[in-house]
Amino acid sequence: MYLSEKPRPIDFYKEEGRDMMIEVVGNGGLPLQQQPQQQQPQMILAESSGEDHEVKAPKKRAETWVQEETRSLISLRREMDSLFNTSKSNKHLWEQISAKMREKGFDRSPTMCTDKWRNLLKEFKKAKHQERGSGSAKMSYYKELEELLRDRNKNAAYKSPTLSKVDSYIQFSDKGLEDASIPFGSVEATGRSTLNLERRLDHDGHPLAITTADAVAASGVPPWNWRETPGNGGESHSYGGRVISVKWGEYTRRIGIDGTADAIKEAIKSAFGLRTRRAFWLEDEDEVVRSLDRDMPLGNYTLHLDEGLTIKVCFYDESGRIPVRTEEKTLYTEEDFRDFLTRRGWTGLRELSGFRSVDTLDDLRPCAMYQGVRLLGD
DNA sequence: GTGGTGGTTAATGTGC
DNA sequence: GCACATTAACCACCAC
């Protein structure tokens, strides 16, 4: 299940010189990221002994990062923060972060991760200067950044030439946003926000157009992509329909269930900012999995996300005989699997121990090592 | 050469 | 359709 209705992010992998490129797998596979057909760039391929092919492309924005992506990035960057400052080059670290992002279902190249991180820091600083102590919504985006920077400050071993500059921004603490129960998202202190999805649903006459927004508003925490807009920040509507409480980790959301099953799913996805393909389900307090429908019992539910199936994939050089690198890949759906194969120009996988060929997700074995299988003649 | 940073450009979203 | 806001992507500069 892919939870975004938007087209996949256009990932112009940029390796050197900040030129836009398309990542090409080293063993001659198809580009990992492909251009939409309607906007095919002029390709200027630069062969470099079996390495990446560079592709110049007109500037094209990738899909805007959603909350879950941004939080993953911050989390990963935070985990590796100590490594960043002991290394001359951080390139490989960003590659690791990018790889982990992909494992989570987010196609973001190292450069995209780097740029996002830089832009986040810039926004963070800008917001602090402009909205010092205002308790604005934007500040809550950066609570985790603030914590990271504060951690750095505490860490005496950490020495960065830019630390002093960064630190000049982290003395600020927005008390209105210190509440750890507010996990993420843009929080307008006085009211509710609107969501892109909300408006889209509304225009489509979707039965959950109001339910989704109001159920989330009831939690007081709109999803990451919600924007504050003039005219909707003052009033707080209470939702009068059937509402369940859904818990995911430490986060709890109230979800309106007066719509169809699909609408309820959308509401859950919106409320938690879910954008990956991972399947999910709800269990009640007796750990009974409940189907989503308007007649489901009211009460408290726990959200469970599919853990996926992780395999190892060994990539070979153009001769197909010399292993070049190994990647871990987590797959959630058959569609995920097919997409993974298609991007590399593979028709299936072959298990290295036993040489069993696999072309469906169900036949994959967790943690097993595979190599790509191409069509004969390719 | 690389990373950090500030500033800028431009694609895209949003409101009217 | 236009104006404006947001933000991904890019550039230039500096420090090391």
Side-chain angles (χ1 to χ4, degrees), chain A residues 12 29 37 44 66 127 131 226 233 238 250 286 311 329 353 367:
Chain A
F12 298 93
Q37 287 189 339
I44 305 170
V66 297
E131 308 181 35
W226 288 37
S238 60
E250 59 186 293
D286 296 325
I311 59 171
K329 177 69 183 173
S353 60
C367 300

Side-chain angles (χ1 to χ4, degrees), chain A residues 11-15 23 65 73 90-99 102 107-117:
Chain A
D11 187 5
F12 298 93
Y13 187 104
K14 298 161 292 178
E15 196 65 34
E23 185 176 7
W65 290 58
L73 175 68
N90 294 328
K91 190 176 168 185
H92 66 290
L93 297 174
W94 283 112
E95 284 169 353
Q96 285 179 34
I97 288 178
S98 173
R102 286 171 195 250
D107 271 342
R108 298 291 182 179
S109 71
T111 303
M112 292 167 85
C113 293
T114 309
D115 269 336
K116 180 62 180 178
W117 179 251

Side-chain angles (χ1 to χ4, degrees), chain A residues 19 52 68 86 143 232 301 325 331:
Chain A
D19 285 332
D52 290 356
E68 201 183 353
T86 56
K143 187 170 184 293
N232 68 358
Y301 291 85
R325 63 192 167 91
L331 301 160

Side-chain angles (χ1 to χ4, degrees), chain A residues 33-51:
Chain A
Q33 308 302 327
Q34 302 200 22
Q35 295 286 334
Q37 287 189 339
Q38 71 272 21
Q39 199 158 3
Q40 199 67 250
Q42 270 193 312
M43 291 192 175
I44 305 170
L45 298 177
E47 192 68 40
S48 56
S49 65
E51 292 182 357

Side-chain angles (χ1 to χ4, degrees), chain A residues 73-334:
Chain A
L73 175 68
I74 293 171
S75 172
L76 291 169
R77 178 62 178 75
R78 190 177 182 176
E79 284 173 17
M80 300 173 71
D81 192 50
S82 58
L83 299 175
F84 266 84
N85 295 286
T86 56
S87 169
K88 178 79 177 177
S89 171
N90 294 328
K91 190 176 168 185
H92 66 290
L93 297 174
W94 283 112
E95 284 169 353
Q96 285 179 34
I97 288 178
S98 173
K100 287 180 181 177
M101 291 288 286
R102 286 171 195 250
E103 283 174 19
K104 294 183 177 186
F106 306 128
D107 271 342
R108 298 291 182 179
S109 71
T111 303
M112 292 167 85
C113 293
T114 309
D115 269 336
K116 180 62 180 178
W117 179 251
R118 288 174 180 170
N119 285 331
L120 272 173
L121 289 177
K122 279 192 287 189
E123 280 185 57
F124 175 60
K125 294 173 183 178
K126 188 178 172 185
K128 271 195 170 173
H129 275 302
Q130 292 181 347
E131 308 181 35
R132 190 178 184 89
S134 68
S136 74
K138 279 231 163 188
M139 291 309 299
S140 68
Y141 282 16
Y142 310 116
K143 187 170 184 293
E144 292 183 43
L145 290 176
E146 192 169 350
E147 288 170 359
L148 165 60
L149 297 172
R150 189 180 292 136
D151 287 346
R152 283 185 181 179
N153 202 27
K154 286 178 186 171
N155 183 358
Y158 176 76
K159 290 178 182 174
S160 163
T162 58
L163 181 60
S164 58
K165 291 182 182 177
V166 173
D167 274 357
S168 69
Y169 295 101
I170 67 171
Q171 308 306 323
F172 174 81
S173 174
D174 191 334
K175 290 186 177 180
L177 298 164
E178 287 294 301
D179 184 357
S181 69
I182 300 174
F184 46 61
S186 167
V187 181
E188 181 65 48
T190 54
R192 55 188 293 231
S193 306
T194 56
L195 172 64
N196 300 343
L197 174 65
E198 178 193 356
R199 184 163 50 254
R200 187 167 68 247
L201 292 172
D202 200 19
H203 285 173
D204 292 344
H206 196 290
L208 206 65
I210 297 172
T211 309
T212 304
D214 282 347
V216 175
S219 74
V221 184
W224 185 260
N225 263 6
W226 288 37
R227 298 169 185 271
E228 296 75 26
T229 53
N232 68 358
E235 72 277 41
S236 179
H237 296 181
S238 60
Y239 177 66
R242 290 165 55 79
V243 174
I244 59 171
S245 176
V246 178
K247 188 171 190 295
W248 182 38
E250 59 186 293
Y251 314 133
T252 302
R253 297 286 181 274
R254 298 181 65 206
I255 306 293
I257 57 167
D258 286 336
T260 62
D262 285 343
I264 296 168
K265 281 183 185 175
E266 285 299 323
I268 294 170
K269 290 185 308 193
S270 293
F272 290 98
L274 303 178
R275 198 179 142 264
T276 72
R277 296 168 187 245
R278 297 168 70 176
F280 63 86
W281 62 94
L282 296 184
E283 286 182 10
D284 66 15
E285 290 169 314
D286 296 325
E287 298 182 348
V288 176
V289 176
R290 290 287 183 177
S291 61
L292 302 178
D293 61 63
R294 66 183 68 203
D295 296 323
M296 64 191 296
L298 301 181
N300 300 319
Y301 291 85
T302 304
L303 175 65
H304 292 268
L305 280 177
D306 180 14
E307 293 297 324
L309 191 151
T310 301
I311 59 171
K312 292 174 182 170
V313 183
C314 188
F315 291 87
Y316 289 79
D317 70 352
E318 288 182 350
S319 72
R321 286 189 284 272
I322 303 172
V324 175
R325 63 192 167 91
T326 303
E327 268 184 21
E328 275 197 358
K329 177 69 183 173
T330 301
L331 301 160
Y332 299 103
T333 64
E334 190 65 37

